[in-house]
């Protein structure tokens, strides 16, 4: 289904739900009729969600099929629970809290939905980049749970628990129902921090359904704890919204294709997820501040849990700082690695032409003498043709190593391409000819590899700058050294030719 078509259906469903809720809450009909409309609407929406999930699962394979089958089972449980509830409350008039099979069916819904979320999370395309440690994610979950506990305890949970202590097993299911949805929401939230596959539009509507059901569930539990035998229709708004959200989740287009777009699309979502653990704590803090300002007294349990949440936040911040330091170290290492790869030859490990040119520009900006050697390996083609490219690569590595050994550590040895090397000597203490002869002598020795020994010589062209010259460029020095190298090759190879000497002028 396309996003545009889903948007139209979503708007229509939301408008229908608002209309039905307004009709039920307005008191136009008597209570039995309003309750019947309420419950039969929920049953119809839950049945539609069940059929839609089942149909969607049949046309898919793998994880996409499995999590939808779990959701179809959850919707089937909701349908059974609603059907039994309607039969008991509407037709038989069973008193609240009910001890029929309906609460069991309602309890299975968040449990089966939780299974669907876990299947989707652990069987999806993969985890998000590991920039958040598992301990930080666990702390986020505890912060959310602790904040919600304080909020619900201060507002209504304390009175509910007191009623639970004096009531039978029927009231236990009344409390467990919204609590199960709360657990489902926390698991879904934490899974969305760590698993990209959970960040989909269907899961968003599942979360909205769980939030609506949990809200009305807590209101229902509070009213029952106060001894209510009939529940106001306004308390059922969340129950009416929940099946509609489940239905929308069953037809919502999956965003799996969007996950393959660049990671930059997730930055806004990442920021939201970083803020989410603090939002419940902020709401809870405001609630407590307003409550204490109006005369509400906190008991020791509320104080201790609140302090525990604050300590969890402090621990989370410390771990986040540690994670950030590790991230900076990884980023620095990655930058150095990328820079090395960009400026060094992967075969020999020496600098490449780009870095050689950069160092030559820097040397020409100074005032010290500069010498450039352009070296062409003679006989390298024969090694490649007769022994293979692997043997030729081994010879090139030996050449690079010998060149580095016969110059100073501050000098630059670079592979300029193929069998051509360059040497930059900044501030040379010897005449250029002496440097060239030393390099030539180092390369005259046989090159021994694992497969044999090869006699490799070189033709070397040298250009140099004795004093600072602002008109001289790197291209000038490299070009004249290259020309001198070709002169050496024409004169018989295995020679050193310095640009500007008699040999260079004769050719």
């Amino acid at each position: 289904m396309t996003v545009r078509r889903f948007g139209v259906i979503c708007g229509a469903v939301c408008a229908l739900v608002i209309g039905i809720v307004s009709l039920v809450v307005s008191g136009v009909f008597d209570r039995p009729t309003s309750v019947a409309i309420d419950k039969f609407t929920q049953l119809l929406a839950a049945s539609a969600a069940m059929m839609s999930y089942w149909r969607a699962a049949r046309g898919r394979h793998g994880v996409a099929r499995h999590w939808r089958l779990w959701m179809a089972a959850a919707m089937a449980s909701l349908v059974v629970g609603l059907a039994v509830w309607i039969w008991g409350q509407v037709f038989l008039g069973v008193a609240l809290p009910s001890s029929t099979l309906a609460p069991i069916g309602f309890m299975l819904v968040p449990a089966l939905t939780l299974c669907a979320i876990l299947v989707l999370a652990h069987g999806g395309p993969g985890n998000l980049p590991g920039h958040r440690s598992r301990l930080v994610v666990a702390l986020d979950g505890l912060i959310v749970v602790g904040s919600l506990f304080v909020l619900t305890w201060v507002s209504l949970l304390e009175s509910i628990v007191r009623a639970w202590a004096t009531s039978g097993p029927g009231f236990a299911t009344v409390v467990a129902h919204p609590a199960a949805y709360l657990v489902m929401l926390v698991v879904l939230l934490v899974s969305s921090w760590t698993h990209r596959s959970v960040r989909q539009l269907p899961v968003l509507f599942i979360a909205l359904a769980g939030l609506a059901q949990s809200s009305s569930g807590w209101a229902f539990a509070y009213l029952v704890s106060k001894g209510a035998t009939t529940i106001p229709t306004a308390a059922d708004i969340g129950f009416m919204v929940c099946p509609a959200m489940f239905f929308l989740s069953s037809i919502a287009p999956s965003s799996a294709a969007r996950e393959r777009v660049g990671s930059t699309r997730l930055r806004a979502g990442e920021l939201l997820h970083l803020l989410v653990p603090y939002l419940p704590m902020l709401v809870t803090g405001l609630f407590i501040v307003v409550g204490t300002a109006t005369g509400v007294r906190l008991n020791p349990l509320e104080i201790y849990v609140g302090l525990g949440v604050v300590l969890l936040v402090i621990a989370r911040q410390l771990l986040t700082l540690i994670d950030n330091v590790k991230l900076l170290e990884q980023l620095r290492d990655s930058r150095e690695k990328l820079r090395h790869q960009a400026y060094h030859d992967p075969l020999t490990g020496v600098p490449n032409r780009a870095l050689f040119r950069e160092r030559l520009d820097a040397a020409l900006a100074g005032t010290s003498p500069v010498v450039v050697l352009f070296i062409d390996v003679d006989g390298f083609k024969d090694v490649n043709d007769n022994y293979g490219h692997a043997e030729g690569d081994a010879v090139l590595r030996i050449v690079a190593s010998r060149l580095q050994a016969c110059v100073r550590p501050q000098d630059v040895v670079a592979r300029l391409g193929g069998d051509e090397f360059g040497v930059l000597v900044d501030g040379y203490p010897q005449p250029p000819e002496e440097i060239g002869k030393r390099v030539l002598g180092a390369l005259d020795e046989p090159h021994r590899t694992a497969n044999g020994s090869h006699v490799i010589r070189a033709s070397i062209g040298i250009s140099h700058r004795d004093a600072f010259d602002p008109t001289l460029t790197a291209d000038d020095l490299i070009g004249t050294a290259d020309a001198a190298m070709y002169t050496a090759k024409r004169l018989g190879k295995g020679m050193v030719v310095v640009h500007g000497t008699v040999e260079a002028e004769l050719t």
Side-chain angles (χ1 to χ4, degrees):
M1 178 179 292
T2 63
V3 176
R4 184 184 297 273
R5 184 180 178 187
F6 173 74
V8 174
I9 296 177
C10 182
V13 170
C14 291
L16 182 62
V17 170
I18 292 173
I20 294 174
V21 168
S22 301
L23 188 65
V24 170
V25 176
S26 63
V28 175
F29 301 104
D30 56 12
R31 175 173 175 75
T33 304
S34 297
V35 171
I37 294 173
D38 172 7
K39 299 305 178 185
F40 278 107
T41 301
Q42 294 181 44
L43 182 62
L44 181 62
S47 301
M50 178 186 67
M51 296 303 297
S52 180
Y53 267 120
W54 174 256
R55 183 178 178 184
R58 290 180 60 187
R60 290 173 170 82
H61 302 281
V63 175
R65 174 185 176 88
H66 294 156
W67 82 267
R68 286 178 172 85
L69 286 176
W70 279 107
M71 287 304 302
M75 294 303 97
S77 179
L78 181 58
V79 168
V80 172
L82 285 170
V84 175
W85 183 273
I86 291 172
W87 179 257
Q89 299 296 318
V90 177
F91 295 104
L92 300 182
V94 177
L96 296 176
S98 174
S99 57
T100 64
L101 294 178
I104 299 178
F106 294 148
M107 281 292 300
L108 286 176
V109 177
L112 294 173
T113 302
L114 185 59
C115 292
I117 293 169
L118 294 177
V119 168
L120 180 61
H122 294 284
N127 298 352
L128 287 168
H131 61 285
R132 307 183 71 192
S133 66
R134 294 181 181 272
L135 186 56
V136 170
V137 173
L139 287 175
D140 288 345
L142 290 175
I143 292 170
V144 173
V145 171
S147 300
L148 292 178
F149 175 81
V150 174
L151 179 62
T152 54
W153 183 272
V154 172
S155 57
L156 53 88
L157 193 59
E158 184 177 9
S159 60
I160 291 176
V161 171
R162 289 174 182 171
W164 187 358
T166 58
S167 302
F171 188 73
T173 59
V174 172
V175 176
H177 172 242
Y181 274 99
L182 200 58
V183 172
M184 182 201 81
L185 287 172
V186 172
V187 172
L188 190 153
L189 186 64
V190 173
S191 297
S192 70
W193 293 334
T194 56
H195 294 82
R196 180 179 288 109
S197 54
V198 179
R199 296 186 178 186
Q200 299 190 38
L201 195 57
V203 180
L204 173 61
F205 282 95
I206 291 175
L208 293 176
L211 185 62
Q213 188 79 4
S214 182
S215 300
S216 282
W218 286 117
F220 180 82
Y222 179 76
L223 292 172
V224 171
S225 69
K226 296 299 183 180
T229 55
T230 58
I231 304 300
T233 52
D236 258 16
I237 293 177
F239 292 151
M240 287 185 276
V241 171
C242 174
M245 294 297 104
F246 274 131
F247 171 71
L248 290 176
S249 73
S250 68
I251 64 172
S254 173
S255 60
R258 296 184 182 180
E259 295 168 4
R260 292 189 291 270
V261 184
S263 61
T264 53
R265 297 288 297 275
L266 295 176
R267 288 178 181 172
E270 285 296 305
L271 179 61
L272 178 62
H273 282 83
L274 288 173
L275 294 177
V276 162
Y278 302 105
L279 295 180
M281 188 183 69
L282 178 61
V283 174
T284 302
L286 292 175
F287 188 86
I288 292 176
V289 168
V290 173
T292 52
T294 55
V296 176
R297 299 186 64 181
L298 300 179
N299 60 39
L301 177 63
E302 296 161 356
I303 295 173
Y304 292 146
V305 174
L307 290 175
V309 171
V310 173
L311 291 176
L312 288 174
V313 172
I314 295 173
R316 182 195 188 277
Q317 290 303 110
L318 291 176
L319 289 174
T320 302
L321 289 175
I322 295 174
D323 283 349
N324 289 340
V325 171
K326 292 180 179 179
L327 272 176
L328 289 175
E329 292 177 353
Q330 293 174 4
L331 181 60
R332 184 166 54 249
D333 292 342
S334 298
R335 280 185 173 179
E336 291 298 325
K337 185 177 180 180
L338 289 174
R339 177 176 174 81
H340 186 273
Q341 291 175 349
Y343 285 102
H344 288 78
D345 175 52
L347 175 63
T348 61
V350 299
N352 57 16
R353 180 181 287 268
L355 183 56
F356 185 80
R357 171 66 181 270
E358 184 178 297
R359 295 288 177 82
L360 180 54
D361 285 333
L364 291 176
T367 58
S368 59
V370 176
V371 174
V372 172
L373 288 77
F374 202 105
I375 304 165
D376 184 83
V377 180
D378 298 326
F380 175 74
K381 186 177 184 300
D382 294 335
V383 176
N384 261 349
D385 293 342
N386 297 326
Y387 298 94
H389 289 282
E391 190 73 1
D393 291 345
V395 169
L396 288 178
R397 283 192 286 267
I398 295 174
V399 170
S401 177
R402 290 188 180 181
L403 289 176
Q404 288 179 307
C406 68
V407 296
R408 301 171 303 173
Q410 64 266 33
D411 299 329
V412 180
V413 175
R415 185 185 177 195
L416 304 181
D419 58 353
E420 296 177 341
F421 289 84
V423 176
L424 169 63
V425 180
D426 187 8
Y428 58 94
Q430 297 174 314
E433 297 87 347
E434 295 298 325
I435 301 174
K437 290 177 181 179
R438 187 170 70 250
V439 170
L440 195 62
L443 297 180
D444 281 344
E445 295 293 328
H447 295 63
R448 293 181 176 84
T449 66
N451 297 321
S453 179
H454 307 281
V455 177
I456 298 295
R457 305 191 70 187
S459 297
I460 303 175
I462 300 178
S463 62
H464 59 97
R465 184 203 70 175
D466 296 326
F468 178 73
D469 184 358
T471 63
L472 190 65
T473 65
D475 288 335
D476 295 335
L477 276 183
I478 295 175
T480 52
D482 188 18
M485 182 271 295
Y486 277 105
T487 298
K489 293 180 77 71
R490 287 193 293 270
L491 291 176
K493 301 182 179 180
M495 295 183 60
V496 177
V497 173
V498 179
H499 175 72
T501 60
V502 175
E503 293 88 349
E505 295 298 331
L506 287 175
T507 57

